[in-house]
Amino acid sequence: MRPKYSLIIPVYNEEETLPEMYLRVRAVMDQLDGDVELILVNDGSRDRSLAFLRDLHEKDPRVCYLSFARNFGHQIAVTAGLNFVRGDAIIILDADLQDPPELIPALVEQWKQGYQVVYAQRTQRHKESWIKRLPAYIFYRLMRRLADVDIPLDTGDFCLMDRRVVDVLNSMPERNRYIRGLRSWVGLQQTSIHFERDPRFAGEVKYTFRKSLSLAANGLVTFSRVPLRLSTYVGLLAAVVAVVMAILVLYWRLFVPNSPLTGFATIMIAVFFLGAVQLVSIGILGEYVGRIYEEVKGRPLYVLSEVAGFAEELTNKRL
Ligand code: UDP
Ligand code: MG
């Protein structure tokens, strides 16, 4: 039987990269041994990306697209794509050609060997500034220690997933979606291939520092409860210090003549330190509570404004 492949590409203000991206992806699509659908998800672009997608859909019936009513973020764009896929093997890649489409046959190869998830692991990041690389390096290693699931180092969303994995992902109701974490959570047979990450083909990085930070916080908070325990640990430590201090102070007061307890500086430091610890703890707590709040509200993950290439009933259901 000929397998069916689905490619998902999130697009946010990528007018400069789209033409080249399509050429390179099409070359790979033509080379695969089955039918391919290319699902482009327009994440509320403000440039001419959507016009380009419309055009592509006209010219190439294998191209379908979803368009969001506003910018909902990369992880949500990928999630929407996953909701609509019809293939047996689903491949996620970035629009900026940092994830080389030419690697797709290698991913497919592993899938045919029986793996349900084949993720691409970066061995090098070409020409990305250390401002991006260093925090990423630290974050992936921190996650590795703290997260409940084993999330492989230096992997992004570039991967191939079997239909079964995507069905599980689609059944997950959560709004705070850290896809590379959820993907690991599913389990089954997973393997990796290695690649060198190219620089962005054109245009500016769409993941601003703020967006990257929020993705990192999301990953950490949704996959680890260690930060919550931190305040307990610091609290216990502070209690021990308090007992030791109390004994010391009493001893000085009672048995040391002319005791050195002048105090102002010590008290100020203690007050500020403990105040800081408490505020940070409340902040950490807030990260969790805020996410609970979002989950409880149960709003839809995204709002679509336009859909093309999907059967009528599917379109109506989701729009
Ligand atoms: N992207 C998106 N919504 C956003 C930000 C980014 O759909 O709010 C898409 C973007 O078009 C690209 C991918 O996510 O296809 C990765 O973005 P980028 O290359 O800026 O991030 P980086 O490669 O630095 O992680
Ligand atoms: Mg990129």
Side-chain angles (χ1 to χ4, degrees):
M1 260 211 357
R2 276 162 68 81
K4 188 169 160 89
Y5 300 100
S6 301
L7 269 48
I8 300 178
I9 303 185
V11 173
Y12 179 50
N13 296 339
E14 300 281 8
E15 62 180 7
E16 290 136 303
T17 65
L18 284 176
E20 174 75 9
M21 184 279 286
Y22 174 66
L23 288 180
R24 277 176 61 182
V25 169
R26 190 182 60 187
V28 175
M29 285 163 75
D30 294 339
Q31 182 193 326
L32 288 173
D33 64 332
D35 294 333
V36 187
E37 62 173 357
L38 173 59
I39 302 179
L40 296 155
V41 185
N42 173 36
D43 185 11
S45 300
R46 279 182 297 263
D47 63 358
R48 285 177 309 245
S49 296
L50 179 58
F52 187 82
L53 301 191
R54 286 192 190 116
D55 220 41
L56 265 190
H57 173 66
E58 288 280 303
K59 285 190 203 127
D60 185 344
R62 294 174 298 176
V63 177
C64 330
Y65 67 84
L66 308 167
S67 189
F68 283 175
R70 63 170 170 86
N71 180 245
F72 280 89
H74 173 232
Q75 301 289 300
I76 300 297
V78 172
T79 301
L82 291 173
N83 289 161
F84 278 79
V85 290
R86 294 162 291 200
D88 308 309
I90 292 93
I91 298 131
I92 300 171
L93 64 160
D94 281 356
D96 60 358
L97 294 168
Q98 282 199 282
D99 306 330
E102 293 74 21
L103 228 61
I104 292 174
L107 296 172
V108 169
E109 192 53 45
Q110 294 294 315
W111 175 64
K112 290 199 169 144
Q113 304 282 320
Y115 290 101
Q116 278 87 31
V117 174
V118 190
Y119 51 85
Q121 200 160 19
R122 303 183 277 266
T123 51
Q124 269 202 19
R125 291 175 153 219
H126 288 300
K127 293 205 189 94
E128 282 186 285
S129 77
W130 64 271
I131 300 182
K132 184 134 194 156
R133 275 189 345 225
L134 183 69
Y137 182 88
I138 295 170
F139 170 72
Y140 283 113
R141 273 138 197 92
L142 190 73
M143 273 302 274
R144 181 107 191 121
R145 294 194 149 244
L146 300 186
D148 304 332
V149 294
D150 255 344
I151 303 174
L153 288 172
D154 303 319
T155 55
D157 293 325
F158 185 25
C159 71
L160 179 149
M161 292 186 279
D162 185 80
R163 179 82 230 179
R164 273 162 67 196
V165 177
V166 172
D167 285 341
V168 177
L169 290 184
N170 284 340
S171 74
M172 294 178 170
E174 55 244 69
R175 260 131 275 278
N176 288 292
R177 299 184 85 85
Y178 185 65
I179 289 170
R180 54 202 84 159
L182 298 175
R183 184 178 72 201
S184 298
W185 181 92
V186 174
L188 295 170
Q189 298 291 319
Q190 309 211 357
T191 188
S192 65
I193 62 166
H194 296 269
F195 79 113
E196 295 186 4
R197 191 157 156 97
D198 292 329
R200 173 175 257 284
F201 172 72
E204 304 204 324
V205 180
K206 304 304 177 310
Y207 251 98
T208 54
F209 185 68
R210 233 180 83 213
K211 277 186 176 166
S212 300
L213 205 63
S214 134
L215 178 71
N218 237 340
L220 196 62
V221 170
T222 52
F223 279 96
S224 174
R225 271 164 299 183
V226 175
L228 277 178
R229 269 179 233 138
L230 227 52
S231 39
T232 316
Y233 297 150
V234 178
L236 287 175
L237 195 72
V240 172
V241 173
V243 170
V244 172
M245 285 298 283
I247 293 169
L248 267 182
V249 168
L250 275 179
Y251 174 79
W252 274 327
R253 256 274 172 270
L254 297 176
F255 302 110
V256 182
N258 305 326
S259 64
L261 294 177
T262 43
F264 182 71
T266 328
I267 288 175
M268 288 312 278
I269 291 169
V271 165
F272 272 92
F273 176 71
L274 282 181
V277 168
Q278 287 172 24
L279 288 176
V280 169
S281 307
I282 294 172
I284 293 174
L285 203 62
E287 290 292 322
Y288 286 83
V289 174
R291 280 177 180 77
I292 297 172
Y293 182 49
E294 261 168 53
E295 299 294 343
V296 168
K297 279 190 284 191
R299 287 185 186 156
L301 279 174
Y302 49 84
V303 180
L304 294 170
S305 61
E306 203 178 315
V307 173
F310 297 93
E312 200 66 23
E313 66 275 15
L314 191 61
T315 313
N316 289 338
K317 195 174 79 202
R318 313 261 186 176
L319 207 59

